[in-house]
C-alpha cells in the first residue's frame, strides 16, 4: 500500500529536550516536505526537499532541522523544543516533474506534539 | 510574503445544494492550484488540481481558475453530509518550489 508514515503519532515532551519525528514514504517520491498546522493559521511549510541531500527552508524553518540522506526518509529534528512549537505536524511527499515539484501530495497521518 | 486567503466559514448549506468555496492569492506568477479536503483530526487529501484558466470538472466537483483576477474556486454539486470538512486551497509559486496553503474554509452540509 502506497503511504507516508510518521512516528510518533503523539508526543508530549519538555522544553529543551531534543526530539526527532520520522517520516518515511514507499512511493519513490523525489519531493518531501514538512508542515505544521495551527488553529487559525492553516498549514505552513517548515522545510522541503527536492531530492536526496537537497533541502530548503519553507515559511517557518526557525527551530527546526531536517536531513535527506535517503530518498524514502525525511526526519524532522527539534534540537531544543519550545512551547511555541506545540502543533500538529504533517509530512508529505509527491512525485516531481520538470514543470513542478508539486503534483498530488500524499500526506502522512500527522504527529501531535506538545512541548511543556 | 505570498498569501492565500480563504473565508474561514463555517459555510453552511443544505443537503443537495451547491457549495461554493473561494480562494484568492497574491503571487501573480503562481502556476499550480490545488484543493484539499481535511476531515477533523485527519490529514489533508487532494480532491482537485487545476493549472489553466477555466473550469475543470471531476464528478460532483468543479474547480474554476481565473489568473487575471487571482482567484480559484471550488464548487460542490449535490452536497452531501459526508462533504462536511475543511477545504484547503493551495498555490504553488512561480518557481514551482513553494506550496502555500490558505487557512481553509469549514463546510457544513446539513441533512
Amino acid at each position: 500500500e502506497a503511504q507516508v508514515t510518521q512516528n510518533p503519532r503523539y508526543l508530549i515532551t519538555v522544553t529543551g529536550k531534543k526530539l526527532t519525528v520520522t517520516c518515511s514514504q514507499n512511493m519513490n517520491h523525489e519531493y518531501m516536505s514538512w508542515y505544521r498546522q495551527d488553529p487559525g493559521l492553516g498549514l505552513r511549510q517548515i522545510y522541503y526537499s527536492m531530492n536526496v541531500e537537497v533541502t530548503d527552508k519553507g515559511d517557518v524553518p526557525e527551530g527546526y532541522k531536517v536531513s535527506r540522506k535517503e530518498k524514502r526518509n525525511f526526519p524532522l529534528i527539534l534540537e531544543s523544543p519550545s512551547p511555541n512549537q506545540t502543533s500538529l505536524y504533517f509530512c508529505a511527499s509527491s512525485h516531481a516533474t520538470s514543470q513542478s515539484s508539486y503534483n498530488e501530495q500524499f500526506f502522512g497521518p500527522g504527529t501531535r506534539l506538545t512541548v511543556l | 510574503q505570498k498569501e492565500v486567503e480563504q473565508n474561514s466559514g463555517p459555510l453552511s448549506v443544505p443537503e443537495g445544494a451547491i457549495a461554493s468555496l473561494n480562494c484568492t492569492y497574491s503571487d501573480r506568477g503562481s502556476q499550480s492550484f490545488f484543493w484539499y479536503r481535511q476531515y477533523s483530526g485527519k490529514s489533508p487529501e487532494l480532491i482537485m488540481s487545476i493549472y489553466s484558466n477555466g473550469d475543470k470538472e471531476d464528478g460532483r466537483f468543479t474547480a474554476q481558475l481565473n489568473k487575471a483576477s487571482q482567484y480559484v474556486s471550488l464548487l460542490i454539486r449535490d452536497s452531501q453530509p459526508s462533504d462536511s470538512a475543511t477545504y484547503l486551497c493551495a498555490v504553488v509559486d512561480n518557481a514551482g518550489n513553494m506550496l502555500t496553503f490558505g487557512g481553509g474554509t469549514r463546510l457544513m452540509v446539513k441533512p
Side-chain angles (χ1 to χ4, degrees):
Chain A
E1 179 189 358
Q3 60 182 352
V4 179
T5 57
Q6 293 179 230
N7 283 293
R9 293 288 314 280
Y10 302 91
L11 179 60
I12 299 174
T13 189
V14 296
T15 298
K17 185 176 181 180
K18 181 180 178 180
L19 67 91
T20 298
V21 184
T22 64
C23 173
S24 183
Q25 51 93 5
N26 62 1
M27 295 167 280
N28 201 36
H29 285 164
E30 296 81 9
Y31 195 98
M32 298 185 75
S33 182
W34 276 102
Y35 299 90
R36 61 177 289 174
Q37 187 172 35
D38 303 289
L41 296 176
L43 276 162
R44 293 180 292 168
Q45 192 174 45
I46 304 171
Y47 269 95
Y48 63 93
S49 170
M50 297 177 69
N51 216 321
V52 176
E53 302 292 0
V54 180
T55 63
D56 211 343
K57 296 177 180 179
D59 289 326
V60 288
E62 295 78 19
Y64 305 95
K65 287 175 57 178
V66 293
S67 68
R68 188 90 181 272
K69 292 182 170 55
E70 304 167 283
K71 196 172 186 179
R72 64 183 291 125
N73 296 323
F74 190 45
L76 178 70
I77 303 159
L78 284 73
E79 294 271 6
S80 182
S82 62
N84 65 12
Q85 292 178 298
T86 293
S87 187
L88 178 60
Y89 291 86
F90 288 104
C91 179
S93 72
S94 63
H95 176 55
T97 66
S98 57
Q99 288 74 36
S100 173
S101 298
Y102 292 98
N103 294 290
E104 178 178 4
Q105 284 206 74
F106 292 83
F107 282 81
T111 295
R112 189 166 291 282
L113 172 65
T114 301
V115 183
L116 302 175
Chain B
Q1 178 80 21
K2 300 180 179 67
E3 294 182 349
V4 179
E5 300 286 343
Q6 295 180 256
N7 188 319
S8 62
L11 172 65
S12 183
V13 300
E15 184 175 355
I18 296 175
S20 178
L21 306 163
N22 299 313
C23 169
T24 59
Y25 58 94
S26 63
D27 181 6
R28 183 169 289 277
S30 298
Q31 55 178 260
S32 306
F33 307 85
F34 303 91
W35 282 99
Y36 284 83
R37 177 175 63 200
Q38 187 176 25
Y39 292 111
S40 181
K42 301 296 185 182
S43 54
E45 56 178 331
L46 181 71
I47 52 173
M48 289 288 285
S49 59
I50 187 166
Y51 304 97
S52 55
N53 281 328
D55 294 359
K56 179 181 178 182
E57 187 174 318
D58 184 1
R60 296 187 295 112
F61 299 97
T62 299
Q64 300 174 316
L65 175 61
N66 184 324
K67 289 186 178 180
S69 300
Q70 294 176 239
Y71 84 81
V72 57
S73 62
L74 179 70
L75 301 178
I76 306 175
R77 290 182 298 281
D78 188 24
S79 295
Q80 301 297 309
S82 60
D83 294 326
S84 298
T86 296
Y87 289 81
L88 304 169
C89 173
V91 177
V92 180
D93 70 356
N94 191 34
N97 294 331
M98 286 282 294
L99 181 66
T100 302
F101 282 85
T105 298
R106 184 175 163 219
L107 173 67
M108 298 171 58
V109 180
K110 298 190 172 182

